[in-house]
């Protein structure tokens, strides 16, 4: 076409990276094909994320920010300029990272994906309103429709056209009668009797009354002028504020027919506002439940926390808060006496053996005058009245988030919950899983005028639900809180949103999208990524999963080792080419030359040594019994959303913590726990950060730093100057640099430019002042020691067994490349988890501990998974038990016992 720029040949459509030196990258030059599915892989810590996120994505975002005005940039978080000579051919970049979603309790799967917005619009436009009080369907009626209905009343009585003016209100209501008289009315129906308005009826001011003005009286079935009936109905609707009653009297009995020309229940008189989208939003004051403010939960006294051990009797302290929370033991004595004498409660029987009625009296009180007030009302009263922080803290220990008693956890006001689509309230549909909601909206076919209104809305909802199904999230419920999603789930939700946006010519950068995904769902995820590519987008994925690597169009292998040994491109090209001729660790795994071996022997499972969870029913668990053998490696697996975390993390872990450590965490619903006495302690090793500030690092977390500081304090120079171990801490005044207060850097705010972090000019980034740095051990000062990798520090401190033991465990879990003083925020989730594992390994072991890990292979290369499994096997060899939630087949095949 004239004037159209011809498309460049495919060989020129490249992202050219020159001289990338960010973090551990070693002057990397790389050409990546555009509009392809690219996987960047390599051993953990080799520099994959540095290349993908800190270089490619950061540069793309920085260029976008620079296109904005300086005024707009001052309100946005600025990306730093990566250490790279040049990047050309880079399209706009979008990052979909592996990170936790918002912890905001108002954020849900439906709100993140905008499904909630379209559902609110649908219920507002085609929903059928009902009366919140009686449940009757509410609809508008024209005066003509009402007239035809009144005329159709069967013959045989007198019909009164009434206008309701007072309903169930106390008072004499003289002003009402006087007002009706002024309007020319003569009679009214008061509490079921027709009376004259002059003189005004005398009413009891302390009694509730119903008053309806008599507008007209007609004989049913008799033909009369239609104009008169219509005029009477219009007058009644005006006086009754949009409502009227056609009342028929036969033999002294009234039969009322209610009519309304507004959205109000004709029977109850409850008015309903015009449905609009904000009425169905729990984030809006117009729609939120007035009791819980739209959260769906309230902090309430939890009966399960009140009675931590139901096998104990009331007299022996089954309800510890009776004395501790109340602030005095006197209440306990009075409670025991009243319960026993007045209500016949057996205070010496185990609480679990009490009849439900007696247990209810203990917890919530009795209606008997002068009876026991109940533990829960008593504690709530004490909580509201006490000035003692100690008492408040103790009572708070008995409280947890429970469903709001007003809305039952639905989050919405009664009027919103009274509107239905296909006979379902909006909260009922929100409680469905993505798969169930997809089936519901697919079957929803409105008729008549509603069909045209709903068509565009249903199209958007169905598309978004389809995207979520395609990335393997059909098990998530729409009302699932965003804060409870795993990093992988949150990332796939964002991925589904991007597929729905149908952008073209974009570079997507993803971080391990297969995390948390069962192998059954991998194929669907890969199809989604390829669909993004087929829209002429470039898809760059940081990934270890071999299925994803082999499905890529182009593979970049970073290595050859972690940390300082990495940062080079060791292989690049098609996956089949690399598998055929590559020499890297990844290539050897691709060819099958290296693999994670099945253990030569498995530990025997002793059915007598196990912890058993009985009747677990948290979330989607269906009252299951699960046996966890002790002293072995147990792997809990299953498809995504099958209930693994509900069983292990929510039920087993919390129940053991409560039993062994006295934790107040409420475990998931279950009927009992057996075998807990065989467990000495329970430890959860998750991927949460080991610290959130630059002052935290592997040395401080593992305890190495304390030993190193004591070692420096023992040197001759330190003793001569009177320096103790505290002098060598960058967290305390005295030894640390006073200019940067031990951070080593200073942050300069640049307004519309990115904040600049500069090295402290006083200490040159070493964190300490000059006198502290002058103290040396074997020629190195404290700052130089913290800059050493773990593997180098092992040899440096070879004469100190305590330090060598800690450092050796870090090396064994594959963290030898990490520097002792590397700030914790720079560690990945997998690295943080391995630091925690090494800390546990370094402690003296007497066996009997139970370790719980949730997907520990996150972020790990196959070679690193092999090291991790060696550590887990070693924990079991020391007499401990390990329970792992995992999808990775290499972990499953090495377990001693599998629960699917």
């Amino acid at each position: 076409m004239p004037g159209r720029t011809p498309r460049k040949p495919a060989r020129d459509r490249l992202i050219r990276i020159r001289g990338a030196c960010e973090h551990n990258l070693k002057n990397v030059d790389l050409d990546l094909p555009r509009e392809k599915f690219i996987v960047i892989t390599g051993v953990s810590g080799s520099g994959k994320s540095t290349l993908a996120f800190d270089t490619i994505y950061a540069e793309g975002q920085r260029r976008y920010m620079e296109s904005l005005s300086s005024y707009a940039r001052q309100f946005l978080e600025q990306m730093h300029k990566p250490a790279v000579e040049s990047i050309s051919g880079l399209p706009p970049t979008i990052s979909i990272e592996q990170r936790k979603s918002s912890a905001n309790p108002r954020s849900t799967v439906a709100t993140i994906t905008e499904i909630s917005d379209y559902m609110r619009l649908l219920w507002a436009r085609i929903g059928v309103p009902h009366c919140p009080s009686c449940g009757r369907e509410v609809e508008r009626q024209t005066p003509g429709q009402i007239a035809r209905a009144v005329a159709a009343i069967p013959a045989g009585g007198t019909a009164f056209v009434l206008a309701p003016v007072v309903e169930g209100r106390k008072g004499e209501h003289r002003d009402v009668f006087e007002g009706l008289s002024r309007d020319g009315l003569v009679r009214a129906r008061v509490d079921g009797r027709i009376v004259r308005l002059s003189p005004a009826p005398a009413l009891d001011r302390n009694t509730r009354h119903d008053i309806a003005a008599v507008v007209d009286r007609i004989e049913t079935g008799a033909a009369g002028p239609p104009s008169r009936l219509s005029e009477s109905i219009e007058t009644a609707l005006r006086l009754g504020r949009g409502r009227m009653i056609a009342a028929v009297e036969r033999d002294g009995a009234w039969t009322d027919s209610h009519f309304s020309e507004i959205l109000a229940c004709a029977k109850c008189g409850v008015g309903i506002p015009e449905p609009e989208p904000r009425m169905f939003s729990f984030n809006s004051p117009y729609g939120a439940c007035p009791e819980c403010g739209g959260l769906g939960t309230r902090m309430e006294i939890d009966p399960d926390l009140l009675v931590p051990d139901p096998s104990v009797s009331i007299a022996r302290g089954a309800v510890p808060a009776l004395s501790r929370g109340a602030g005095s033991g006197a209440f306990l004595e009075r409670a025991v006496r009243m319960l026993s004498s007045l209500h016949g409660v057996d205070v010496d029987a185990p609480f679990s053996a009490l009849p439900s009625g007696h247990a209810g009296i203990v917890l919530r009180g009795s209606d008997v005058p002068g009876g026991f007030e109940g533990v829960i009302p008593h504690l709530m009263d004490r909580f509201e009245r006490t000035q003692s922080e100690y008492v408040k803290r103790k009572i708070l220990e008995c409280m947890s988030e429970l469903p709001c008693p007003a809305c039952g956890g639905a989050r919405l006001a009664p009027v919103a919950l009274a509107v239905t689509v296909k006979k379902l309230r909006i909260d009922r549909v929100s409680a469905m899983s993505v798969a169930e909601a997809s089936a519901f909206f697919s079957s929803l076919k409105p008729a008549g005028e509603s069909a045209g209104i709903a068509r565009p809305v249903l199209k958007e909802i169905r598309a978004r639900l389809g995207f979520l199904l395609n990335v393997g999230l059909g098990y998530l419920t729409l009302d699932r809180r965003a804060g409870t999603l795993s990093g992988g789930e949150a990332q796939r939700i964002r991925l589904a949103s991007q597929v729905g946006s149908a952008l073209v010519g974009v570079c997507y950068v993803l971080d391990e999208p297969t995390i948390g995904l069962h192998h059954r769902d991998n194929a669907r995820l890969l199809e989604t990524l390829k669909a993004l590519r087929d829209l002429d987008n470039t898809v760059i994925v940081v990934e270890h999963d071999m299925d994803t690597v082999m499905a890529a169009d182009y593979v970049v292998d970073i290595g050859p080792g972690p940390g300082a040994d990495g940062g080079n491109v060791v292989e690049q090209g098609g996956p089949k080419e690399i598998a055929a001729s590559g020499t890297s660790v990844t290539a050897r795994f691709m060819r099958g030359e290296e693999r994670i071996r099945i253990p030569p022997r498995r530990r025997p499972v002793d059915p007598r040594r196990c912890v058993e969870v009985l009747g677990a029913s948290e979330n989607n668990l269906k009252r299951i019994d699960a046996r966890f053998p002790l002293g072995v490696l147990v792997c809990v697996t299953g498809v995504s959303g099958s209930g693994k975390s509900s069983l292990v993390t929510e039920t087993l872990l919390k129940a053991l913590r409560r039993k062994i450590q006295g934790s107040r965490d409420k475990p998931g619903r279950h009927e009992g726990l057996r075998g807990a006495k065989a467990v000495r302690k329970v430890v959860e090793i998750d991927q949460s950060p080991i610290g959130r500030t630059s002052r935290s690092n592997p040395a401080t977390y593992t305890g190495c730093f304390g030993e190193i500081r004591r070692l420096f304090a023992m040197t001759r120079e330190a003793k001569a100057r009177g320096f103790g171990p505290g002098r060598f801490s960058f967290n305390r005044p005295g030894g640390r640099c006073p200019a940067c207060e031990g951070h080593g850097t200073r942050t300069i705010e640049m307004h519309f430019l990115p904040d600049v972090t500069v090295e402290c000019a006083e200490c040159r980034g070493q964190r300490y002042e000059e006198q502290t740095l002058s103290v040396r051990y074997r020629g190195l000062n404290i700052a130089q020691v913290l800059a050493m990798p773990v593997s180098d520090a092992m040899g440096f401190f070879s004469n100190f067994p305590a330090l060598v033991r800690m450092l050796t465990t870090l090396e064994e879990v594959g963290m030898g490349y990490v520097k002792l003083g590397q700030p914790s925020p720079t560690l990945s989730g997998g690295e943080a988890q391995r630091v925690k594992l090494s800390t546990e390994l370094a402690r003296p072991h007497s066996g009997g501990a139970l370790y719980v890990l949730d997907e520990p292979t996150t972020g790990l290369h196959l070679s690193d998974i092999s090291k991790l499994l060696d550590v887990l096997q070693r924990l079991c060899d020391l007499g401990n038990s390990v329970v792992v939630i995992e999808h990775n087949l290499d972990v499953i095949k090495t377990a001693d016992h599998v629960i699917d």
Side-chain angles (χ1 to χ4, degrees):
M1 292 176 61
R4 181 174 177 178
T5 305
R7 180 166 172 157
K8 292 183 179 180
R11 56 188 168 80
D12 291 332
R13 300 184 65 76
L14 299 171
I15 300 173
R16 291 187 172 85
I17 302 168
R18 297 291 180 265
C21 302
E22 188 74 16
H23 295 160
N24 65 336
L25 296 181
K26 296 182 174 62
N27 208 34
V28 168
D29 294 342
L30 184 64
D31 290 342
L32 297 176
R34 286 173 59 174
E35 298 165 13
K36 297 293 182 184
F37 175 24
I38 303 168
V39 169
I40 300 178
T41 189
V43 297
S44 305
S46 59
K48 306 180 298 298
S49 296
T50 298
L51 175 62
F53 289 96
D54 299 334
T55 303
I56 297 174
Y57 169 66
E59 178 64 11
Q61 282 295 100
R62 188 190 67 80
R63 292 181 183 181
Y64 167 68
M65 293 294 184
E66 286 192 349
S67 70
L68 303 176
S69 68
S70 59
Y71 175 78
R73 295 205 302 271
Q74 68 180 320
F75 300 108
L76 300 172
E77 183 181 353
Q78 302 292 309
M79 302 291 291
H80 78 287
K81 180 173 174 57
V84 60
E85 286 181 14
S86 67
I87 300 182
S88 61
L90 181 63
T93 57
I94 294 176
S95 161
I96 306 178
E97 294 183 67
Q98 167 68 232
R99 66 174 189 267
K100 278 281 188 181
S101 270
S102 165
N104 186 341
R106 297 183 180 277
S107 180
T108 66
V109 170
T111 60
I112 295 171
T113 56
E114 298 180 352
I115 292 172
S116 172
D117 298 328
Y118 289 102
M119 284 176 60
R120 293 191 290 111
L121 182 59
L122 190 69
W123 260 255
R125 295 294 175 259
I126 70 167
V128 178
H130 294 74
C131 173
S133 299
C134 68
R136 283 181 47 160
E137 187 175 318
V138 176
E139 61 179 352
R140 294 184 184 86
Q141 295 168 297
T142 65
Q145 290 174 320
I146 297 172
R148 286 192 293 274
V150 173
I153 294 175
T158 303
F160 291 86
V161 178
L162 306 178
V165 290
V166 172
E167 293 177 293
R169 292 208 321 261
K170 292 181 180 180
E172 296 180 346
H173 303 297
R174 290 185 178 276
D175 56 334
V176 174
F177 295 132
E178 291 171 359
L180 294 175
S181 295
R182 284 197 300 270
D183 286 337
L185 298 170
V186 178
R187 293 178 178 82
R189 189 178 73 172
V190 179
D191 299 333
R193 293 183 302 111
I194 301 293
V195 299
R196 296 187 65 85
L197 294 175
S198 181
L203 301 180
D204 182 359
R205 67 168 60 188
N206 297 316
T207 305
R208 297 182 182 275
H209 302 285
D210 293 316
I211 304 172
V214 177
V215 177
D216 200 356
R217 181 173 62 179
I218 58 175
E219 293 300 320
T220 59
S227 59
R228 174 186 163 185
L229 179 58
S230 297
E231 289 174 4
S232 299
I233 288 171
E234 289 179 2
T235 302
L237 290 171
R238 177 175 57 80
L239 292 172
R241 295 180 297 280
R243 296 169 51 235
M244 64 152 283
I245 302 169
V248 178
E249 184 182 26
R250 289 190 181 93
D251 302 325
W254 292 98
T255 302
D256 289 359
S257 298
H258 296 261
F259 302 96
S260 173
E261 67 171 352
I262 60 172
L263 277 179
C265 179
K267 180 180 179 182
C268 304
V270 177
I272 298 175
E274 184 71 28
E276 52 183 314
R278 65 179 182 176
M279 193 171 94
F280 301 95
S281 171
F282 49 76
N283 292 324
S284 165
Y286 294 96
C289 167
E291 290 294 321
C292 63
L295 292 176
T297 58
R298 289 177 60 184
M299 287 298 292
E300 302 277 352
I301 300 287
D302 190 337
D304 291 340
L305 297 179
L306 272 183
V307 189
D309 188 357
S311 64
V312 178
S313 68
I314 295 171
R316 291 187 173 274
V319 189
L322 276 176
S323 54
R324 287 196 320 231
S328 89
F331 180 75
L332 174 60
E333 296 177 13
R334 184 168 63 87
V336 169
R337 188 169 59 252
M338 289 183 66
L339 289 168
S340 176
S341 60
L342 187 61
H343 301 290
V345 176
D346 187 353
V347 295
D348 295 313
F351 191 87
S352 57
L354 294 179
S356 59
H358 284 181
I361 291 172
V362 174
L363 296 177
R364 295 182 177 82
S366 166
D367 295 333
V368 177
F372 182 59
E373 64 182 300
V375 179
I376 292 177
H378 173 78
L379 292 180
M380 288 303 297
D381 182 60
R382 286 284 297 171
F383 185 77
E384 291 168 3
R385 289 191 298 107
T386 186
Q387 299 297 315
S388 167
E389 289 300 320
Y390 171 79
V391 172
K392 282 197 171 187
R393 189 168 64 251
K394 286 299 180 183
I395 297 177
L396 273 171
E397 290 178 358
C398 303
M399 302 175 84
S400 61
E401 276 194 356
L402 297 178
C404 170
C407 65
R411 297 180 168 217
L412 294 170
V415 288
L417 297 176
V419 181
T420 64
V421 169
K422 203 178 176 181
K423 297 185 178 180
L424 284 179
R425 303 177 345 189
I426 192 169
D427 65 301
R428 299 279 189 250
V429 179
S430 295
M432 292 180 178
S433 68
V434 168
E436 292 167 342
S438 180
F440 170 79
F441 286 110
S442 296
S443 66
L444 184 59
K445 293 178 171 56
E449 183 185 61
S450 296
I453 297 171
R455 189 178 297 112
V457 183
L458 287 173
K459 179 184 176 183
E460 295 292 339
I461 293 175
R462 289 166 182 165
R464 282 163 170 75
L465 291 171
F467 298 142
L468 291 173
L469 286 172
N470 290 340
V471 294
L473 295 176
Y475 61 90
L476 290 180
T477 57
L478 294 178
D479 62 359
R480 172 86 170 263
R481 288 188 179 184
T484 66
L485 297 171
S486 69
E489 288 170 334
Q491 181 180 219
R492 292 200 296 279
I493 285 176
R494 290 192 289 272
L495 176 60
S497 301
Q498 288 300 325
V499 174
S501 67
L503 292 176
V504 175
V506 172
C507 176
Y508 288 99
V509 185
L510 292 89
D511 186 10
E512 296 197 71
T514 61
I515 289 173
L517 202 59
H518 193 271
H519 277 262
R520 184 194 71 170
D521 301 314
N522 269 10
R524 284 194 292 181
L525 173 67
L526 290 173
E527 288 302 316
T528 302
L529 296 176
K530 290 177 180 178
L532 274 179
R533 175 203 61 189
D534 293 342
L535 289 171
D536 288 343
N537 296 306
T538 306
V539 180
I540 299 176
V541 177
V542 176
E543 188 57 87
H544 296 113
D545 177 70
M546 280 300 157
D547 291 340
T548 308
V549 174
M550 295 305 296
D553 300 320
Y554 198 80
V555 176
V556 177
D557 192 6
I558 306 292
D565 296 331
N568 294 300
V569 177
V570 293
E571 306 283 355
Q572 59 179 309
K576 292 182 180 177
E577 300 169 23
I578 294 176
S581 58
T583 59
S584 67
V585 176
T586 304
R588 294 199 295 273
F589 271 101
M590 291 168 75
R591 284 195 298 271
E593 290 177 7
E594 288 195 28
R595 63 172 64 90
I596 295 174
R597 309 277 177 188
I598 295 176
R601 69 175 188 86
R602 300 191 192 273
R603 299 174 188 82
V605 172
D606 185 352
R608 295 168 299 177
R609 289 193 67 238
C610 66
V611 175
E612 191 170 4
V613 177
L614 304 175
S617 55
E618 183 69 8
N619 294 332
N620 62 336
L621 297 177
K622 295 176 174 62
R623 296 189 66 192
I624 64 168
D625 299 338
R627 182 178 297 158
F628 297 86
L630 298 178
V632 300
L633 174 58
V634 178
C635 184
V636 181
T637 187
V639 297
S640 304
S642 58
K644 304 181 297 297
S645 297
S646 297
L647 175 63
V648 177
T649 308
E650 294 299 317
T651 306
L652 173 69
L653 178 67
K654 291 184 178 179
L656 283 173
R657 278 179 171 168
R658 173 181 282 195
K659 200 83 172 177
I660 299 167
Q661 302 166 355
S663 167
R664 307 297 292 187
D665 280 351
K666 184 180 179 181
R669 293 188 301 277
H670 67 292
E671 295 171 3
L673 183 72
R674 291 179 187 160
K677 291 181 179 178
V679 179
R680 182 175 55 84
K681 70 172 182 176
V682 59
V683 181
E684 181 184 17
I685 302 177
D686 58 14
Q687 297 203 359
S688 60
I690 60 174
R692 300 189 181 277
T693 70
S694 60
R695 296 186 182 278
S696 172
N697 54 55
T700 59
Y701 187 85
T702 58
C704 293
F705 195 36
E707 294 292 329
I708 293 171
R709 290 189 290 113
R710 279 190 284 274
L711 178 59
F712 269 85
M714 290 166 56
T715 60
R716 183 180 301 172
E717 194 167 357
K719 288 181 177 179
R721 297 188 181 190
F723 291 170
R727 180 79 186 197
F728 299 94
S729 170
F730 49 72
N731 292 324
R732 292 185 184 180
R736 71 185 184 189
C737 169
C740 64
E741 296 183 338
H743 287 285
T745 58
R746 293 176 60 216
T747 301
I748 311 299
E749 188 177 330
M750 300 294 286
H751 297 286
F752 57 84
L753 291 174
D755 291 347
V756 175
T757 301
V758 297
E759 185 181 272
C760 174
E762 188 73 22
C763 66
R764 300 179 303 284
Q766 297 184 87
R767 296 186 167 205
Y768 294 92
E769 53 86 41
E770 287 187 8
Q771 291 193 46
T772 308
L773 292 173
S774 67
V775 178
R776 295 177 178 269
Y777 172 74
R778 293 182 59 187
L780 297 182
N781 61 35
I782 186 72
Q784 292 168 325
V785 167
L786 288 175
M788 294 174 69
V790 168
S791 53
D792 293 349
M794 287 174 61
F796 188 77
F797 294 113
S798 57
N799 295 329
F800 297 89
L803 264 173
V804 169
R805 186 181 72 249
M806 297 178 193
L807 295 170
T808 301
T809 57
L810 278 169
E811 176 76 24
E812 288 174 347
V813 298
M815 298 291 286
Y817 63 92
V818 172
K819 295 178 181 178
L820 290 176
Q822 182 171 334
S824 295
T826 65
L827 298 176
S828 68
E831 288 171 331
Q833 188 173 48
R834 284 183 285 164
V835 170
K836 295 176 184 178
L837 264 175
S838 73
T839 306
E840 286 297 323
L841 274 174
R843 289 180 176 140
H845 276 273
S846 57
L850 187 144
Y851 295 91
V852 176
L853 297 91
D854 191 351
E855 301 207 47
T857 60
T858 298
L860 299 189
H861 190 269
L862 286 169
S863 61
D864 300 302
I865 292 174
S866 181
K867 295 177 183 176
L868 171 70
L869 288 171
D870 290 340
V871 172
L872 298 182
Q873 299 285 5
R874 183 178 158 194
L875 280 173
C876 293
D877 291 339
L878 292 169
N880 302 299
S881 311
V882 177
V883 177
V884 178
I885 302 171
E886 190 56 79
H887 293 117
N888 189 291
L889 296 176
D890 290 310
V891 176
I892 297 170
K893 74 183 183 184
T894 59
D896 301 309
H897 186 78
V898 176
I899 299 174
D900 189 7

